[in-house]
Amino acid sequence: MLNFVRAWIVLSAALCAGGWTLSAIHRLDGIGYGVLIALLLLVVTRWARHAFRTVPIRNRFVRAKARFKRRFRRALPLSFFILACAVVLGGLLYPPNQADALQYRTPRVMYWLAAGQWHWIHASDLRLNVISCGFEWLTAPLLLLTRTDRWFFLINGVSYLMLPGLFFGVFRMLGVRSRVAWTWMWILPSGWVYAMQGGGLSNDHFSTVYILAAVYFALRARESKKPGDFWISMLGCALVTGTKQTNVPLALLWFIAAWPGFRLLVVRPLASLGVGLLAALASGLPIAYVDLTRTGAWTGWVKGTDLQPESPLWGIVGNTYTVLLHYFLPPFFALNAQYNELRHKFLQTPLGSHFTSFEQFGSVTRAVGEQTAALGLSVSLLVMISIIAAWKLRPRSPRLENRRPRFSTPRLLRMAPWFLLLLFMAKVGSWNAPRY
């Protein structure tokens, strides 16, 4: 699985960086992608020859088959396997219907391929230009080769299969016990935001793989002392910033995890320089530069169109309500019309006027969909119960507490997401905040 994740990170970075590079030389076409794919196949061949040199491929398949049978005899892995099959089957049977993909993400790829390069599209919908291009650069060669968007779901499907292993790896690195990590590695991917997007064209859970890989391989590089692990973590961090502008704060998690391993860059300086250039092209830097020069804001959204709350305080208050509402919302809510009417009346009160800067503040739909899905009612209840139980069963011995370093890397990585959550809630007033 680690080799699979490494290959996925390198492939994603190569396609993202390759998209910008081919655009720069006006070869975003069949010839350009043919050369790029040929280079990737050459790299994959050399890597596979090195990776499978010690153990023959046939032996690896025999071991994997035995492990597969043994693992999926248990209830939780079997449940995930059934869910993953349903996700892939849904992508195969039904055409994509995700609103953002149909409105601007797939159309912008068509514009680029028609012009042979990335270019600023003169249209009323600014999202065709200013939104990050990470997901689009992966779909561009698929659209060019297959002439359809029916296979785009494979990007999310492949990412979905990597979630359990990455959840387990990160949990173990952060000090979670093996049995607890093993249980939650199967439960978390069943959350609505992951399962519903696994067979669709959204790009939220898609970037979860990148940040988990970035943190995991950064922590792994500290133990293995291998520059290769650090390079993979660096590429993962770059890719997560290149997928969405709202993902940029997540780079702090990588810096915390990678800080002790920066000295690994000088072990092979030329290779590190090449990986750094690849990471820069695959990150959000290119689109941020274009947005800054075109609109004056690195996000592309000028003041008044950026969906920012009235103030950071009301942003945190409003998003806290919105996130909790969607996390504990049942899958089917028959009273949505009555609730939305009460919500509309509340926004006309002096207290509710603080939340009018939000996009459709607190609104709900009749049924949960790919656009509105959060973690889900059942998983959210399990998380809440587990947090309360962990707090109740925490070590009471002051001697044990004194042994723990106050500012260790695992502890900082456990604390930083809460700070980033507050930062996000203070700055973003989007209706889709729960899935972000």
Side-chain angles (χ1 to χ4, degrees), residues 270-409:
L270 291 180
S272 297
L273 181 63
V275 174
L277 179 61
L278 179 64
L281 288 173
S283 70
L285 289 177
I287 193 65
Y289 172 76
V290 172
D291 289 346
L292 186 62
T293 56
R294 289 276 186 164
T295 67
W298 70 271
T299 61
W301 301 100
V302 296
K303 189 66 176 178
T305 63
D306 50 1
L307 297 178
Q308 287 203 28
E310 176 185 296
S311 69
L313 174 62
W314 291 113
I316 293 174
V317 174
N319 272 312
T320 299
Y321 169 78
T322 302
V323 170
L324 290 177
L325 170 68
H326 281 268
Y327 266 60
F328 293 96
L329 195 69
F332 184 81
F333 188 51
L335 301 177
N336 67 307
Q338 295 87 331
Y339 166 82
N340 286 327
E341 184 178 352
L342 292 174
R343 176 192 67 87
H344 180 69
K345 293 179 180 179
F346 169 74
L347 292 177
Q348 297 175 349
T349 64
L351 178 61
S353 63
H354 294 291
F355 307 108
T356 55
S357 58
F358 283 73
E359 179 190 25
Q360 303 179 38
F361 172 77
S363 62
V364 298
T365 55
R366 179 176 292 271
V368 175
E370 189 175 345
Q371 283 284 104
T372 60
L375 196 57
L377 176 61
S378 300
V379 179
S380 298
L381 288 174
L382 282 175
V383 170
M384 182 179 68
I385 294 171
S386 298
I387 291 176
I388 295 174
W391 181 75
K392 288 287 187 180
L393 300 176
R394 71 189 188 279
R396 301 288 182 176
S397 172
R399 184 179 303 175
L400 181 60
E401 290 289 336
N402 292 334
R403 293 177 186 174
R404 298 177 179 176
R406 187 176 296 273
F407 296 110
S408 63
T409 299

Side-chain angles (χ1 to χ4, degrees), residues 169-198:
V170 171
F171 285 161
R172 289 295 295 132
M173 288 290 185
L174 296 183
V176 178
R177 292 183 178 179
S178 298
R179 186 166 184 172
V180 178
W182 185 88
T183 301
W184 280 98
M185 70 182 279
W186 306 112
I187 295 177
L188 280 179
S190 67
W192 295 343
V193 68
Y194 300 119
M196 288 188 176
Q197 293 189 16

Side-chain angles (χ1 to χ4, degrees), residues 25 29 91 93 103 113 117 131 157 166 169 259 261 265 295 302 311 321 325 330 361 364 375 383 391 404 411 425:
I25 60 177
D29 52 21
L93 294 179
Q103 289 171 3
L113 293 176
Q117 62 174 339
I131 299 296
L166 287 172
W259 180 254
L265 294 175
T295 67
V302 296
S311 69
Y321 169 78
L325 170 68
F361 172 77
V364 298
L375 196 57
V383 170
W391 181 75
R404 298 177 179 176
R411 175 166 289 191
M425 293 195 298

Side-chain angles (χ1 to χ4, degrees), residues 247-259:
N247 288 344
V248 170
L250 292 175
L252 176 63
L253 299 180
W254 178 76
F255 275 106
I256 294 174
W259 180 254

Side-chain angles (χ1 to χ4, degrees), residues 35-48:
V35 174
L36 179 61
I37 292 173
L39 292 174
L40 286 174
L41 289 176
L42 180 61
V43 172
V44 168
T45 302
R46 295 192 61 181
W47 168 79

Side-chain angles (χ1 to χ4, degrees), residues 66-83 168 178-187:
R67 190 183 303 117
F68 181 88
K69 291 182 178 180
R70 184 173 63 253
R71 172 174 294 169
F72 291 103
R73 289 174 182 170
R74 302 185 182 185
L76 286 177
L78 180 61
S79 301
F80 173 78
F81 177 74
I82 296 173
L83 186 59
F168 180 83
S178 298
R179 186 166 184 172
V180 178
W182 185 88
T183 301
W184 280 98
M185 70 182 279
W186 306 112
I187 295 177

